Amino acid sequence: MAELGTKELPAAEEAPAPSLLSLCLDAVAARLIRGSAGVGPGPTGWPGQCGGGGPGGFPEEVGEEAEDDHLGPEQVAEALPWELLHRLASRLPPAALESLHHAAHARCCSSTDTTAGLGGQNGDRRGIKRSRCEDFNTAWQSLFKLRWPLSVKTGHDSVVTVDWQQQYWEKHIQKCLDEAAESAFLPSFCGNIGVLSISAEIMNFIYRSEDVPQQHSRLTYHLSRFGCYARCLRLQGVLCTAETYDLLQHCNLERLMFIRIISETEVNSVCLLLRCHAETLLSLEFIHCQLYPAVMDKICKAVLQEESRSHGIKQFSIKSSHICENKPLSISAGLLKFLSSGKSLHLLSLHDTKMQSSFAQMIIHTLLESSCGLQTLEISENNIAGWLSKVNRNSTSSTLALKSNNSLNSLSVLNLRGNNLQQDDVVDLHKILTKMPNLRDLDISGNPIMDEGIRSLIPFISLAIQKENPLLKLRVEACDLSSIGVGELLECLTYAKQPLDVLSIAENPLGSSVAAMLAKFLGSHVRNLNIEDIDLGTLGFQILEEALPMEVALSHINISKNRGGIRAAYFVSKLILQAPNLISVNAAANILPPESLEVICNTLKQRTCNLERVDLTGNCHLSGTSFPAFLEFKKHGKPILVVPSNLSTACAPYDDDP
């Protein structure tokens, strides 16, 4: 070959030969995987931490007696030192790791029992052994990230230790339940919930083997073996059966969400679950349910045991569900008793429950007379105009509670969005707000209170933002406000000693006349401003740009749907230069012309600081292909500028779009 003038190709580099230790660990892992999947000699499955076979553990069909020469997790845990056990753990799928973890935990416990009472040195050894056993947490974290990479929250508090084994199996159980619900909803389904099969995709994650006995793929098996890790579950009504109750009664459930509870059978099963877990439940939520008074009475009775005068529920939510009957009007006495007995209740949310003003009046009466430390109250998307006037004028007990300075003392978040509240309601709301000294977040959006309504609140707001615990967040979106009313509000906020963190005046027809006052307000160190769809137009953005303070403390701003054109682009550019803490800008749907992208990019060449995202979607004339240089600007590996994709050219233009 050399005589022909060709060069010999270098030999391909061979991968280093695996070490003997690595081969041995792989072999042991393979045996454990086969055993956990129920194939090969030995048992069809090993008990996990939920319990062993027979009574109190798995069904008898899960496993048989192991052969004497079988290599099981107990033998491996006893034979290998901790260092090798941890290396072995990284080679195992979840089912096999669960068995090994359980065996290693038993080894820890036996070591603790052996050394107990031998003195201080042995006490130290016990702590070392336990920490080594718990070190499987790293392996569980890796498995969680592998299966659900998008569910891992970044920036965890380093002081808080996450139990990744519990997190893994809880999320796995939820996936199994969601799959089972999809199958049970099919018209062709008939039979028991527990015999439903888990998909091959999920089974492959758990066992990493295709040869798994059929009983291992049943919902019954997964709930029995791994259900003990569940603390927070979401249950569709179709899964609320006596059979599901039997499978979940040994869990320590802390949070339950029920969706579409409609039939009497489903209600009875819900009550069984609630009665069983009444001592551990902290959060209870109902979505799209029919919770008429008789049903609500049953549910509340299940949570509030007869021998107890209070319950431990901290968060209680009812969303998009019927909770009262209008003909004749009837209200659940059980719900009122539940609220009055909620010594630990911190959050109450009644969203879109079709309640009327009389029902809301009784709710607020009950809360005023209770001694709960409520922190968040949401009564939203209901038709309750006039309810506050009834609270203030027609109830002697409520009047006394308001005067006592003890009612709703701990409340920090109040959400009254979309309740059809009128101007007169805000006058009465003011009287109640003055009895909330710790209120930090107020949302009265979606109520037609108009300028007179906002004027009624300005005295409260001006005092609330200057207290030791000031009001920090205010939302008055879609309240039929004009530029005059909002101008008075902004003047109050602009010159306050304590700046507001969050203000939203979105979806009010304000026009460009509010721009000058907005520019002054931007100098008040507000952090988050939402002025979406307030009809600023090109003139409004021009005024904002020209009057913008030299230093702005904004972190987030939403200026979308304001038909700003090129002036909106110039405003964004100037804001980037004069707001060093700016993180995100939403400038979507502003009829930006093609040259807007170049204008903003020229500014980004000068300064990006903390900027992470500028949303330019919904502007049909923008295209990344016309100015590809926008891809140069990135933060954390992601483009700062988000522009319409090439597929968005078919988006519908505005009525005034050229």
Side-chain angles (χ1 to χ4, degrees):
M1 296 289 290
E3 292 178 359
L4 296 176
T6 60
K7 296 182 179 179
E8 294 186 10
L9 296 175
E13 294 185 6
E14 296 182 359
S19 65
L20 179 59
L21 175 60
S22 178
L23 291 172
C24 291
L25 289 175
D26 288 341
V28 173
R31 293 290 297 274
L32 291 177
I33 292 171
R34 288 176 59 82
S36 68
V39 296
T44 60
W46 293 312
Q49 203 165 350
C50 290
F58 298 148
E60 293 293 347
E61 66 176 13
V62 172
E64 305 294 341
E65 292 297 326
E67 296 182 4
D68 293 338
D69 61 347
H70 176 67
L71 181 64
E74 294 81 6
Q75 290 86 349
V76 173
E78 288 294 334
L80 293 182
W82 288 108
E83 290 76 10
L84 294 185
L85 278 179
H86 295 148
R87 294 181 63 176
L88 176 62
S90 64
R91 291 167 158 80
L92 298 177
L97 179 58
E98 171 68 16
S99 300
L100 182 65
H101 194 156
H102 182 58
H105 179 76
R107 172 179 167 183
C108 280
C109 293
S110 63
S111 300
T112 300
D113 294 339
T114 303
T115 59
L118 295 181
Q121 183 177 359
N122 289 326
D124 293 339
R125 288 176 56 198
R126 178 177 60 182
I128 293 173
K129 287 180 180 294
R130 186 163 298 277
S131 66
R132 286 174 175 173
C133 174
E134 292 172 352
D135 211 23
F136 284 115
N137 207 35
T138 303
W140 283 114
Q141 183 180 16
S142 298
L143 288 173
F144 190 98
K145 289 181 177 180
L146 180 64
R147 186 171 176 184
W148 300 290
L150 299 180
S151 298
V152 179
K153 297 180 181 179
T154 58
H156 270 302
D157 188 348
S158 58
V159 178
V160 179
T161 300
V162 179
D163 185 347
W164 290 104
Q165 182 186 25
Q166 184 271 327
Q167 292 283 309
Y168 187 95
W169 290 122
E170 180 178 79
K171 196 167 182 67
H172 168 73
I173 288 296
Q174 187 62 64
K175 291 291 183 182
C176 293
L177 289 171
D178 291 344
E179 267 199 357
E182 290 181 8
S183 300
F185 272 126
L186 296 175
S188 59
F189 172 77
C190 61
N192 297 326
I193 298 293
V195 300
L196 289 171
S197 295
I198 306 303
S199 66
E201 179 184 5
I202 291 181
M203 295 294 290
N204 187 53
F205 272 116
I206 299 302
Y207 294 103
R208 207 181 295 163
S209 173
E210 297 181 357
D211 189 11
V212 180
Q214 184 178 3
Q215 65 264 29
H216 282 208
S217 64
R218 293 175 183 168
L219 179 64
T220 302
Y221 176 86
H222 287 258
L223 291 181
S224 298
R225 184 172 182 187
F226 310 120
C228 63
Y229 292 104
R231 302 291 179 268
C232 172
L233 286 181
R234 179 180 62 253
L235 291 174
Q236 295 278 351
V238 70
L239 295 181
C240 293
T241 64
E243 183 183 6
T244 307
Y245 159 73
D246 290 336
L247 294 170
L248 295 177
Q249 62 177 318
H250 299 297
C251 304
N252 293 317
L253 295 175
E254 297 176 358
R255 301 183 63 185
L256 273 174
M257 177 192 294
F258 295 103
I259 302 175
R260 298 191 185 280
I261 304 300
I262 298 175
S263 69
E264 183 178 358
T265 301
E266 294 167 355
V267 171
N268 292 336
S269 299
V270 167
C271 291
L272 283 175
L273 272 174
L274 296 180
R275 192 173 293 111
C276 178
H277 300 285
E279 294 185 0
T280 59
L281 271 179
L282 301 175
S283 176
L284 190 55
E285 185 170 359
F286 296 91
I287 301 177
H288 297 298
C289 299
Q290 291 184 4
L291 303 175
Y292 294 117
V295 174
M296 202 74 241
D297 287 344
K298 284 185 179 181
I299 290 173
C300 292
K301 185 178 180 180
V303 177
L304 185 61
Q305 303 295 324
E306 292 183 2
E307 63 275 7
S308 175
R309 294 185 177 180
S310 64
H311 56 80
I313 301 294
K314 293 184 177 181
Q315 300 180 351
F316 184 70
S317 300
I318 301 177
K319 299 180 180 179
S320 302
S321 305
H322 290 268
I323 61 174
C324 59
E325 294 173 334
N326 295 328
K327 296 181 180 180
L329 178 64
S330 58
I331 299 171
S332 169
L335 176 59
L336 298 178
K337 183 179 180 181
F338 172 87
L339 295 178
S340 63
S341 306
K343 306 298 183 183
S344 303
L345 193 62
H346 289 167
L347 181 149
L348 173 62
S349 175
L350 301 173
H351 172 83
D352 186 22
T353 58
K354 310 300 185 292
M355 72 165 68
Q356 299 296 319
S357 57
S358 56
F359 190 100
Q361 181 186 356
M362 296 195 69
I363 293 291
I364 200 70
H365 282 172
T366 304
L367 293 175
L368 286 171
E369 296 172 357
S370 71
S371 58
C372 66
L374 197 66
Q375 296 176 4
T376 299
L377 174 61
E378 176 186 1
I379 301 179
S380 60
E381 303 300 333
N382 294 285
N383 185 18
I384 57 174
W387 68 292
L388 289 170
S389 62
K390 296 178 182 178
V391 169
N392 279 316
R393 300 167 190 167
N394 297 344
S395 172
T396 303
S397 60
S398 295
T399 302
L400 292 174
L402 284 171
K403 290 181 178 179
S404 68
N405 267 343
N406 293 323
S407 56
L408 303 180
N409 224 15
S410 57
L411 199 69
S412 61
V413 179
L414 179 61
N415 184 347
L416 298 175
R417 177 183 288 262
N419 283 316
N420 194 30
L421 299 180
Q422 310 293 318
Q423 298 177 24
D424 293 340
D425 292 304
V426 181
V427 175
D428 294 305
L429 174 62
H430 183 196
K431 298 176 183 178
I432 294 181
L433 290 176
T434 56
K435 304 300 180 180
M436 301 177 184
N438 294 301
L439 191 65
R440 313 296 294 275
D441 187 337
L442 176 61
D443 188 348
I444 55 172
S445 302
N447 294 290
I449 63 173
M450 306 179 70
D451 287 352
E452 287 302 318
I454 200 65
R455 287 192 185 103
S456 300
L457 282 182
I458 286 178
F460 162 76
I461 295 170
S462 61
L463 291 175
I465 59 179
Q466 300 185 62
K467 294 185 302 184
E468 183 178 352
N469 294 319
L471 182 71
L472 297 176
K473 301 177 181 179
L474 177 63
R475 297 174 180 85
V476 286
E477 304 165 9
C479 287
D480 292 346
L481 304 178
S482 74
S483 59
I484 298 175
V486 170
E488 294 177 19
L489 173 64
L490 291 175
E491 185 175 4
C492 161
L493 297 173
T494 300
Y495 300 107
K497 295 180 181 179
Q498 177 69 38
L500 202 66
D501 272 0
V502 177
L503 175 66
S504 179
I505 53 175
E507 300 177 40
N508 288 293
L510 306 180
S512 60
S513 57
V514 79
M517 185 54 74
L518 268 176
K520 289 182 181 179
F521 176 66
L522 286 174
S524 70
H525 295 85
V526 63
R527 304 290 181 183
N528 189 324
L529 178 63
N530 185 357
I531 51 175
E532 174 186 1
D533 193 14
I534 63 171
D535 295 336
L536 277 176
T538 56
L539 179 59
F541 277 109
Q542 182 177 352
I543 296 172
L544 274 176
E545 178 199 349
E546 294 172 351
L548 190 68
M550 290 302 298
E551 186 171 344
V552 179
L554 271 177
S555 297
H556 307 275
I557 186 170
N558 184 350
I559 59 172
S560 61
K561 301 179 183 178
N562 273 294
R563 298 175 175 83
I566 190 62
R567 304 310 309 187
Y570 283 125
F571 169 72
V572 170
S573 298
K574 190 171 183 180
L575 187 64
I576 292 172
L577 293 175
Q578 296 177 199
N581 298 317
L582 194 63
I583 296 175
S584 71
V585 177
N586 185 350
N590 263 299
I591 320 179
L592 298 178
E595 59 268 24
S596 301
L597 204 54
E598 184 176 0
V599 169
I600 297 174
C601 285
N602 288 337
T603 302
L604 291 178
K605 292 177 182 178
Q606 303 176 51
R607 185 176 196 174
T608 58
C609 291
N610 299 308
L611 192 62
E612 296 182 4
R613 181 183 175 90
V614 178
D615 188 347
L616 303 176
T617 57
N619 294 287
C620 297
H621 301 297
L622 287 186
S623 173
T625 56
S626 62
F627 195 80
F630 82 96
L631 291 172
E632 298 176 8
F633 308 101
K634 295 185 178 182
K635 194 75 170 183
H636 306 306
K638 297 181 179 179
I640 293 178
L641 296 175
V642 182
V643 304
S645 64
N646 293 332
L647 297 177
S648 66
T649 54
C651 66
Y654 287 103
D655 53 4
D656 58 351
D657 207 3

